[in-house]
Amino acid sequence: MVSVVQNVAIDCTDAYELARFWTEVTGCPLHPQDGPGDREVQVKLPEGPLLYFNQVPEPKTIKNRIHLCLRPTTSREEEVERLLKLGATLVADRRKPDGAGWAVLTDPEGNEFCVLRSESDRTAASS
């Protein structure tokens, strides 16, 4: 017997607005029945679990113990710039001169996530 991960739950102060940010990040839609003011909103990813945004009264106060790691379809550098324009914040730059590493960003509510090298970045580095 095994368990299947149904969703990744993200506590937040505005479920709809944070889910909208993540729809821009992922290019995936909100659940069709979710709308402004909803306390629970889902982003439907093409594979794997849903992103489930759950509105809670308290703000985030400490570092995430679980976070999302994103592998962009464009270069890591282009994706970091795109995400910053969407409202993310760069909090730690773990990128190395040889192209390895990652960038740590936060979403508009302060939840950390990482942007890894894309497959094309990795291929170029190994050539």
Side-chain angles (χ1 to χ4, degrees), residues 2-53:
V2 298
S3 294
V4 175
V5 176
Q6 175 64 39
N7 63 53
V8 176
I10 301 168
D11 288 351
C12 53
T13 57
D14 188 331
Y16 182 76
E17 285 304 315
L18 193 57
R20 283 185 32 164
F21 169 82
W22 282 97
T23 65
E24 293 294 323
V25 170
T26 63
C28 296
L30 294 176
H31 188 282
Q33 295 176 346
D34 293 341
D38 286 350
R39 298 183 54 79
E40 300 173 355
V41 179
Q42 298 176 32
V43 174
K44 300 177 73 169
L45 302 175
E47 298 177 19
L50 297 165
L51 295 180
Y52 175 83
F53 298 88

Side-chain angles (χ1 to χ4, degrees), residues 8-11 60-69 104 110-114:
V8 176
I10 301 168
D11 288 351
K60 180 184 174 295
T61 57
I62 59 172
K63 182 182 182 298
N64 299 4
R65 296 293 294 217
I66 295 175
H67 65 266
L68 302 177
C69 290
V104 181
N111 300 300
E112 296 91 2
F113 63 96
C114 294

